[in-house]
Amino acid sequence: MVNLKAGTRPPWVGLGAAVWVQIASGNAYNFPLYSHSLKSVLGFNQHQLTMLGVANDVGENVGLIPGIACNKLPPWVILLIGALACFFGYGVLWLAVSSKVQSMPYWLLWLALCVATNSSAWLSTAVLVTNMRNFPLSRGTVAGILKGYGGISAAVFTEIYSTLLRNSSSKLLMFLALGIPVLCFIVMYFVRPCTPALGEDSSEHAHFLFTQGALIVLGLYVLSTTILNHIFHFSALISNTILVIMVVLLMAPFAIPIKMTFHRIRVSKPEMHHQLVESSESVIQEDSADKTEPLLKSSSSAAALGSFRENVEASEVAMLLAEGEGAVKKRRRPKRGEDFRFTEALIKADFWLLFFVYFVGVGSGVTVLNNLAQIGSAQGVHDTTILLSLFSFCNFVGRLGGGIVSEHFVRSKTIPRTIWMTCTQVMMIIIYLLFASSFDGIVYAAIALLGICYGVQFSIMIPTVSELFGLKHFGLFYNFMSLGNPLGAFLFSGLLAGYVYDTEAAKQQVPNLLSSSSISCSGPNCFRLTFLVLAGACGFGSILSVILTMRIRPVYEMLYAGGSFRLPQASIH
């Protein structure tokens, strides 16, 4: 039997703790903060550096093992594994950058970076899967909040890097190696499976609004203080005060369970759900059939579902007759919206359409992120911290906003969430063309818009894959989709951007400097070809996204026809 924590308060305590873990899981976004030290201290060229960027993304997103483990191990074990990966991975990088160990081989650094950032996959999987199951009727909102905190994590780390660590790459790596494991040990008790509420809760919406508001305030605060510190160079006292206020804002989600402790919520009997939890299937069923309400009211379902519903009912009747006659022995294949096994999802066209759309969106975006310092330097912007903070804030806006907007329209208009991936990838085409044009002063606006579009990809993919293929094996599906990120980084950043940059940099060097192991490039040609290729890739992704949206529209009409999410009978978690 699965040991679930009962009550209305524990899920919110777990969400508050998950916020801190999600911030910690954004440690891979720190690569631009210490990449210049890897290049200068160890003497790498841009191609070697971009391949380390690929290692950064491979480690962060290759989470198939965490995806499988989350169905077999409790969340605290998943967090423990992530903490150990962080300690050993970033510990090796610290030894190299601080020159404690001389002449460390390149392959070892590549592997250490993979291990270090793979902690992100373990940490994110633990909190995301647990909270999606704790709040099954608010998947888009929960995904937007958690991924929003993950998006703002780069700005939080940048604040720590510039204020507490005084722009020291070696101190940052030591902080990641020691600080994140300590955090995981502190909060791992609170991230636990809880009894989910399968009914409407009037206070839940207000609690989510408060959490979203706290996240927005945190994002604005971190961005503004980072910019002001760059302009006015705050004293140590003011900088430390800013850091303390940031920590207080990160504690804001805990105000919900504290409030619930002093103001108990009375749950009416019709809203109470008695649940039986089976560990082997991770399925929660109601105790008696006479208390089960229909998924959709008859007055609205006929008009909303149309031929889709009729075909489903006809196929079910035929299957029941065949089973009754003994002609069919094996269970029927699940329909979209129910729980799929991984092998069953792999043969679905919608699964691969979603994967390729996500691959184009995040793969192209992470190429810019990994080369952010070099892109800024090539266009005359040498302060990476401002660009990274701006990208992080807008990434957070895209993640949080994508969850909120898609949740609104999917409930009110039954519009599939993937329509927003289409819109943002069309916008990304324009952004990459702006990068390629290299207009004066365009880099800040382009980075901001790209951050928003990049963030939307995450907050749309996560609830979409759970709605189409269920929550039972969600951890595995989510981590498989996340492979689009390192795949895109390898193709677009490792093979394309690094080669184009080094080729152009070699043209700009005088002959007696060509032997230098670390060369730099300046001017629009350093990344122009890369941006044109990325624009073409997003054009292809937009077409695939339109096809996917048209295919899954009937599924969303079934799931949200009543104006709120209805769990299919075979998929109640």
Side-chain angles (χ1 to χ4, degrees), residues 77-326:
V77 176
I78 308 296
L79 292 177
L80 177 61
I81 296 173
L84 293 176
C86 213
F87 174 75
F88 288 109
Y90 284 115
V92 171
L93 292 175
W94 173 76
L95 291 174
V97 171
S98 62
S99 299
K100 300 294 183 182
V101 176
Q102 300 289 338
S103 303
M104 192 172 292
Y106 180 83
W107 66 267
L108 181 58
L109 289 173
W110 199 95
L111 184 61
L113 190 53
C114 277
V115 172
T117 55
N118 192 239
S119 65
S120 298
W122 291 91
L123 302 182
S124 182
T125 297
V127 297
L128 191 59
V129 172
T130 302
N131 282 275
M132 291 280 279
R133 290 173 176 171
N134 289 347
F135 298 96
L137 303 185
S138 303
R139 304 179 191 186
T141 303
V142 171
I145 289 172
L146 290 179
K147 282 302 178 181
Y149 275 103
I152 202 65
S153 61
V156 172
F157 280 118
T158 301
E159 187 85 34
I160 296 172
Y161 172 74
S162 59
T163 302
L164 186 65
L165 307 178
R166 301 300 177 187
N167 298 315
S168 171
S169 297
S170 61
K171 290 181 180 179
L172 174 63
L173 291 170
M174 178 181 286
F175 176 82
L176 296 175
L178 299 178
I180 293 178
V182 170
L183 173 65
C184 291
F185 288 134
I186 293 173
V187 305
M188 64 171 53
Y189 171 77
F190 303 103
V191 180
R192 59 168 69 179
C194 304
T195 303
L198 298 181
E200 297 293 334
D201 186 348
S202 58
S203 63
E204 185 174 284
H205 180 65
H207 291 162
F208 280 131
L209 283 179
F210 172 81
T211 308
Q212 291 165 345
L215 177 54
I216 292 172
V217 171
L218 173 66
L220 290 172
Y221 175 80
V222 172
L223 178 66
S224 59
T225 52
T226 300
I227 295 175
L228 290 175
N229 184 38
H230 175 71
I231 296 174
F232 298 107
H233 302 289
F234 294 141
S235 64
L237 177 61
I238 296 177
S239 297
N240 292 332
T241 303
I242 289 173
L243 200 61
V244 170
I245 295 174
M246 183 185 72
V247 172
V248 172
L249 291 174
L250 284 170
M251 297 289 291
F254 285 112
I256 296 172
I258 293 174
K259 171 230 169 188
M260 296 174 74
T261 301
F262 294 102
H263 299 85
R264 298 280 183 178
I265 300 174
R266 291 180 176 269
V267 182
S268 60
K269 290 183 179 180
E271 293 176 344
M272 295 178 65
H273 293 263
H274 303 284
Q275 296 145 350
L276 175 65
V277 180
E278 300 177 3
S279 61
S280 61
E281 298 293 337
S282 299
V283 175
I284 298 174
Q285 299 176 336
E286 297 186 14
D287 288 337
S288 56
D290 58 335
K291 293 182 181 179
T292 304
E293 296 179 358
L295 294 178
L296 297 172
K297 296 180 180 180
S298 58
S299 59
S300 62
S301 61
L305 302 182
S307 60
F308 178 84
R309 184 75 174 186
E310 294 173 0
N311 292 337
V312 168
E313 291 174 351
S315 64
E316 289 181 344
V317 170
M319 180 63 69
L320 288 173
L321 290 174
E323 288 176 349
E325 296 172 359

Side-chain angles (χ1 to χ4, degrees), residues 199-492:
E200 297 293 334
D201 186 348
S202 58
S203 63
E204 185 174 284
H205 180 65
H207 291 162
F208 280 131
L209 283 179
F210 172 81
T211 308
Q212 291 165 345
L215 177 54
I216 292 172
V217 171
L218 173 66
L220 290 172
Y221 175 80
V222 172
L223 178 66
S224 59
T225 52
T226 300
I227 295 175
L228 290 175
N229 184 38
H230 175 71
I231 296 174
F232 298 107
H233 302 289
F234 294 141
S235 64
L237 177 61
I238 296 177
S239 297
N240 292 332
T241 303
I242 289 173
L243 200 61
V244 170
I245 295 174
M246 183 185 72
V247 172
V248 172
L249 291 174
L250 284 170
M251 297 289 291
F254 285 112
I256 296 172
I258 293 174
K259 171 230 169 188
M260 296 174 74
T261 301
F262 294 102
H263 299 85
R264 298 280 183 178
I265 300 174
R266 291 180 176 269
V267 182
S268 60
K269 290 183 179 180
E271 293 176 344
M272 295 178 65
H273 293 263
H274 303 284
Q275 296 145 350
L276 175 65
V277 180
E278 300 177 3
S279 61
S280 61
E281 298 293 337
S282 299
V283 175
I284 298 174
Q285 299 176 336
E286 297 186 14
D287 288 337
S288 56
D290 58 335
K291 293 182 181 179
T292 304
E293 296 179 358
L295 294 178
L296 297 172
K297 296 180 180 180
S298 58
S299 59
S300 62
S301 61
L305 302 182
S307 60
F308 178 84
R309 184 75 174 186
E310 294 173 0
N311 292 337
V312 168
E313 291 174 351
S315 64
E316 289 181 344
V317 170
M319 180 63 69
L320 288 173
L321 290 174
E323 288 176 349
E325 296 172 359
V328 176
K329 298 297 183 184
K330 62 181 181 180
R331 73 180 186 94
R332 68 170 178 84
R333 290 182 178 178
K335 301 183 294 291
R336 291 174 301 180
E338 297 179 352
D339 287 321
F340 279 72
R341 295 173 180 169
F342 185 65
T343 53
E344 292 170 335
L346 285 178
I347 62 175
K348 291 294 183 180
D350 295 337
F351 184 86
W352 290 107
L353 283 171
L354 181 61
F355 176 82
F356 283 115
V357 171
Y358 180 73
F359 152 73
V360 170
V362 298
S364 61
V366 79
T367 299
V368 176
L369 181 60
N370 285 350
N371 296 276
L372 195 57
Q374 290 71 36
I375 290 173
S377 178
Q379 301 199 19
V381 179
H382 300 286
D383 194 338
T384 306
T385 59
I386 297 297
L387 288 178
L388 184 60
S389 294
L390 183 62
F391 183 91
S392 175
F393 175 77
C394 294
N395 181 20
F396 134 75
V397 170
R399 294 183 184 215
L400 180 62
I404 295 173
V405 172
S406 68
E407 192 76 10
H408 170 74
F409 281 97
V410 79
R411 291 177 181 269
S412 61
K413 305 292 185 182
T414 65
I415 297 176
R417 301 181 193 272
T418 50
I419 190 65
W420 305 108
M421 297 181 86
T422 307
C423 296
T424 51
Q425 290 196 18
V426 169
M427 189 178 297
M428 290 170 84
I429 299 173
I430 300 173
I431 293 169
Y432 292 135
L433 293 177
L434 288 175
F435 270 121
S437 65
S438 298
F439 293 130
D440 291 339
I442 200 64
V443 63
Y444 289 105
I447 286 292
L449 290 174
L450 181 62
I452 294 174
C453 296
Y454 180 74
V456 169
Q457 313 303 310
F458 291 90
S459 60
I460 298 300
M461 180 276 287
I462 293 170
T464 299
V465 75
S466 74
E467 288 161 342
L468 293 180
F469 305 107
L471 282 173
K472 185 176 180 181
H473 300 288
F474 167 72
L476 185 55
F477 293 141
Y478 160 68
N479 282 291
F480 184 87
M481 290 288 170
S482 297
L483 292 175
N485 196 307
L487 181 61
F490 174 72
L491 294 177
F492 297 137

